Amino acid sequence: WVPIYLMFYYVGKAVVPFDVPPFNPYQLEMAQMIEMGWKFFAVMMVGGLVVATPSAVISYFVAFKGIQAYRARRKARLSRTHNDTLDS
């Protein structure tokens, strides 16, 4: 989890103009981050949001295309099965 939190920290620090304490990989529990101050917590949350938003959009379209392909294959298979039973 440390690399992900580190990425959130640096991305958030680049986006939010706060002076925050340096990243400490030994203080990664939520309560410890909140104790470091709301600015540190905000930097981590903004960094997470900036990283997660493009990932979510890309994942949506990949999943959407995959589901469409699955449904098309299933519809074709069911149609063939249905036609085979009518021909018998």
CSV table of all heavy atoms in Angstrom, one decimal, residues 14-39:
chain,number,residue,atom,x,y,z
A,14,ALA,N,1.1,18.2,-5.4
A,14,ALA,CA,1.2,19.0,-6.6
A,14,ALA,C,0.0,19.8,-6.9
A,14,ALA,O,0.0,20.9,-7.5
A,14,ALA,CB,1.6,18.1,-7.8
A,15,VAL,N,-1.2,19.3,-6.6
A,15,VAL,CA,-2.5,19.9,-6.9
A,15,VAL,C,-2.9,20.9,-5.8
A,15,VAL,O,-3.4,22.0,-6.2
A,15,VAL,CB,-3.6,18.8,-7.1
A,15,VAL,CG1,-4.9,19.5,-7.3
A,15,VAL,CG2,-3.2,18.0,-8.3
A,16,VAL,N,-2.7,20.6,-4.6
A,16,VAL,CA,-3.2,21.4,-3.5
A,16,VAL,C,-2.1,22.2,-2.9
A,16,VAL,O,-1.0,21.7,-2.6
A,16,VAL,CB,-3.8,20.5,-2.3
A,16,VAL,CG1,-4.3,21.4,-1.2
A,16,VAL,CG2,-4.9,19.7,-2.9
A,17,PRO,N,-2.2,23.5,-2.8
A,17,PRO,CA,-1.1,24.4,-2.3
A,17,PRO,C,-1.0,24.5,-0.8
A,17,PRO,O,-0.8,25.6,-0.3
A,17,PRO,CB,-1.5,25.8,-2.9
A,17,PRO,CG,-3.0,25.8,-2.9
A,17,PRO,CD,-3.4,24.3,-3.1
A,18,PHE,N,-1.0,23.4,-0.1
A,18,PHE,CA,-0.8,23.4,1.3
A,18,PHE,C,0.6,23.0,1.7
A,18,PHE,O,1.3,22.2,1.0
A,18,PHE,CB,-1.7,22.3,2.0
A,18,PHE,CG,-3.2,22.6,1.9
A,18,PHE,CD1,-4.1,21.6,1.8
A,18,PHE,CD2,-3.7,23.9,1.9
A,18,PHE,CE1,-5.4,21.8,1.7
A,18,PHE,CE2,-5.0,24.1,1.8
A,18,PHE,CZ,-5.9,23.1,1.7
A,19,ASP,N,1.1,23.5,2.8
A,19,ASP,CA,2.3,23.0,3.4
A,19,ASP,C,1.9,21.9,4.3
A,19,ASP,O,1.2,22.0,5.3
A,19,ASP,CB,3.0,24.1,4.3
A,19,ASP,CG,3.9,25.0,3.5
A,19,ASP,OD1,4.4,24.5,2.4
A,19,ASP,OD2,4.2,26.1,3.9
A,20,VAL,N,2.4,20.7,4.0
A,20,VAL,CA,2.1,19.5,4.8
A,20,VAL,C,3.3,18.8,5.3
A,20,VAL,O,4.4,19.0,4.7
A,20,VAL,CB,1.2,18.5,3.9
A,20,VAL,CG1,-0.1,19.1,3.6
A,20,VAL,CG2,2.0,18.1,2.6
A,21,PRO,N,3.2,18.1,6.3
A,21,PRO,CA,4.3,17.3,6.8
A,21,PRO,C,4.8,16.3,5.8
A,21,PRO,O,4.1,15.9,4.9
A,21,PRO,CB,3.8,16.6,8.1
A,21,PRO,CG,2.4,17.1,8.3
A,21,PRO,CD,2.0,17.8,7.1
A,22,PRO,N,6.1,16.0,5.8
A,22,PRO,CA,6.6,15.0,4.9
A,22,PRO,C,5.9,13.6,5.0
A,22,PRO,O,5.4,13.3,6.1
A,22,PRO,CB,8.1,14.9,5.2
A,22,PRO,CG,8.2,15.4,6.6
A,22,PRO,CD,7.1,16.4,6.8
A,23,PHE,N,5.9,12.9,4.0
A,23,PHE,CA,5.3,11.6,3.9
A,23,PHE,C,6.1,10.6,4.8
A,23,PHE,O,7.3,10.5,4.7
A,23,PHE,CB,5.2,11.0,2.5
A,23,PHE,CG,4.6,9.7,2.4
A,23,PHE,CD1,3.2,9.6,2.3
A,23,PHE,CD2,5.3,8.5,2.3
A,23,PHE,CE1,2.6,8.4,2.2
A,23,PHE,CE2,4.7,7.3,2.2
A,23,PHE,CZ,3.3,7.2,2.1
A,24,ASN,N,5.4,9.9,5.7
A,24,ASN,CA,6.0,9.0,6.6
A,24,ASN,C,5.3,7.6,6.4
A,24,ASN,O,4.1,7.4,6.8
A,24,ASN,CB,5.9,9.4,8.1
A,24,ASN,CG,6.6,8.5,9.0
A,24,ASN,OD1,7.0,7.4,8.7
A,24,ASN,ND2,6.7,8.9,10.3
A,25,PRO,N,6.0,6.6,5.8
A,25,PRO,CA,5.3,5.3,5.6
A,25,PRO,C,4.9,4.6,6.8
A,25,PRO,O,4.2,3.6,6.7
A,25,PRO,CB,6.3,4.6,4.7
A,25,PRO,CG,7.6,5.2,5.0
A,25,PRO,CD,7.3,6.6,5.4
A,26,TYR,N,5.4,5.0,8.0
A,26,TYR,CA,5.0,4.3,9.2
A,26,TYR,C,3.8,4.9,9.9
A,26,TYR,O,3.3,4.4,10.9
A,26,TYR,CB,6.2,4.3,10.2
A,26,TYR,CG,7.4,3.6,9.6
A,26,TYR,CD1,8.5,4.4,9.2
A,26,TYR,CD2,7.4,2.3,9.5
A,26,TYR,CE1,9.6,3.7,8.6
A,26,TYR,CE2,8.5,1.6,9.0
A,26,TYR,CZ,9.6,2.3,8.5
A,26,TYR,OH,10.7,1.7,8.0
A,27,GLN,N,3.2,5.9,9.3
A,27,GLN,CA,2.0,6.5,9.8
A,27,GLN,C,0.9,6.5,8.7
A,27,GLN,O,0.4,7.6,8.3
A,27,GLN,CB,2.3,8.0,10.3
A,27,GLN,CG,3.2,8.0,11.4
A,27,GLN,CD,3.4,9.5,11.9
A,27,GLN,OE1,3.3,10.4,11.1
A,27,GLN,NE2,3.7,9.7,13.2
A,28,LEU,N,0.5,5.4,8.3
A,28,LEU,CA,-0.5,5.3,7.2
A,28,LEU,C,-1.9,4.9,7.6
A,28,LEU,O,-2.8,4.7,6.8
A,28,LEU,CB,0.0,4.3,6.1
A,28,LEU,CG,1.2,4.8,5.4
A,28,LEU,CD1,1.7,3.7,4.4
A,28,LEU,CD2,1.0,6.1,4.7
A,29,GLU,N,-2.1,4.7,8.9
A,29,GLU,CA,-3.5,4.4,9.4
A,29,GLU,C,-4.3,5.7,9.3
A,29,GLU,O,-3.8,6.8,9.5
A,29,GLU,CB,-3.4,3.8,10.8
A,29,GLU,CG,-2.8,2.5,10.9
A,29,GLU,CD,-2.8,1.9,12.3
A,29,GLU,OE1,-3.6,2.4,13.1
A,29,GLU,OE2,-2.1,0.9,12.5
A,30,MET,N,-5.6,5.5,9.1
A,30,MET,CA,-6.4,6.7,8.9
A,30,MET,C,-6.4,7.6,10.1
A,30,MET,O,-6.3,8.9,9.9
A,30,MET,CB,-7.9,6.2,8.6
A,30,MET,CG,-8.8,7.3,8.2
A,30,MET,SD,-8.4,8.0,6.6
A,30,MET,CE,-8.7,6.7,5.5
A,31,ALA,N,-6.4,7.1,11.3
A,31,ALA,CA,-6.4,7.9,12.5
A,31,ALA,C,-5.1,8.7,12.6
A,31,ALA,O,-5.1,9.9,13.0
A,31,ALA,CB,-6.6,7.1,13.7
A,32,GLN,N,-4.0,8.1,12.2
A,32,GLN,CA,-2.7,8.8,12.2
A,32,GLN,C,-2.6,9.9,11.2
A,32,GLN,O,-2.1,10.9,11.5
A,32,GLN,CB,-1.6,7.8,12.0
A,32,GLN,CG,-1.4,6.8,13.1
A,32,GLN,CD,-0.4,5.7,12.8
A,32,GLN,OE1,-0.3,5.3,11.6
A,32,GLN,NE2,0.3,5.1,13.8
A,33,MET,N,-3.2,9.6,10.0
A,33,MET,CA,-3.2,10.7,9.0
A,33,MET,C,-4.1,11.9,9.4
A,33,MET,O,-3.7,13.0,9.2
A,33,MET,CB,-3.7,10.1,7.7
A,33,MET,CG,-2.7,9.3,7.0
A,33,MET,SD,-3.0,8.9,5.2
A,33,MET,CE,-4.3,7.6,5.4
A,34,ILE,N,-5.2,11.6,10.1
A,34,ILE,CA,-6.1,12.7,10.5
A,34,ILE,C,-5.4,13.4,11.6
A,34,ILE,O,-5.5,14.7,11.7
A,34,ILE,CB,-7.4,12.1,11.0
A,34,ILE,CG1,-8.2,11.6,9.7
A,34,ILE,CG2,-8.2,13.2,11.7
A,34,ILE,CD1,-9.4,10.8,10.1
A,35,GLU,N,-4.6,12.8,12.5
A,35,GLU,CA,-3.9,13.4,13.6
A,35,GLU,C,-2.8,14.4,13.0
A,35,GLU,O,-2.4,15.3,13.7
A,35,GLU,CB,-3.3,12.4,14.5
A,35,GLU,CG,-4.2,11.8,15.5
A,35,GLU,CD,-3.6,10.7,16.3
A,35,GLU,OE1,-2.3,10.6,16.3
A,35,GLU,OE2,-4.3,9.9,16.9
A,36,MET,N,-2.3,14.1,11.8
A,36,MET,CA,-1.3,14.9,11.2
A,36,MET,C,-1.9,16.2,10.7
A,36,MET,O,-1.1,17.1,10.4
A,36,MET,CB,-0.6,14.2,10.1
A,36,MET,CG,0.2,13.0,10.5
A,36,MET,SD,1.0,12.1,9.2
A,36,MET,CE,2.3,13.2,8.7
A,37,GLY,N,-3.2,16.3,10.7
A,37,GLY,CA,-3.8,17.6,10.4
A,37,GLY,C,-4.7,17.4,9.2
A,37,GLY,O,-4.5,16.5,8.3
A,38,TRP,N,-5.7,18.3,9.1
A,38,TRP,CA,-6.6,18.2,8.0
A,38,TRP,C,-6.0,18.5,6.6
A,38,TRP,O,-6.5,18.0,5.6
A,38,TRP,CB,-7.9,19.1,8.2
A,38,TRP,CG,-7.6,20.5,8.1
A,38,TRP,CD1,-7.2,21.4,9.1
A,38,TRP,CD2,-7.7,21.3,6.9
A,38,TRP,NE1,-7.0,22.6,8.6
A,38,TRP,CE2,-7.3,22.6,7.3
A,38,TRP,CE3,-8.0,21.1,5.6
A,38,TRP,CZ2,-7.2,23.7,6.4
A,38,TRP,CZ3,-8.0,22.1,4.7
A,38,TRP,CH2,-7.6,23.4,5.1
A,39,LYS,N,-4.9,19.3,6.6
A,39,LYS,CA,-4.3,19.6,5.4
A,39,LYS,C,-3.6,18.4,4.8
A,39,LYS,O,-3.7,18.1,3.6
A,39,LYS,CB,-3.3,20.7,5.6
A,39,LYS,CG,-3.9,22.1,5.8
A,39,LYS,CD,-2.8,23.1,6.0
A,39,LYS,CE,-3.5,24.5,6.2
A,39,LYS,NZ,-2.5,25.5,6.4
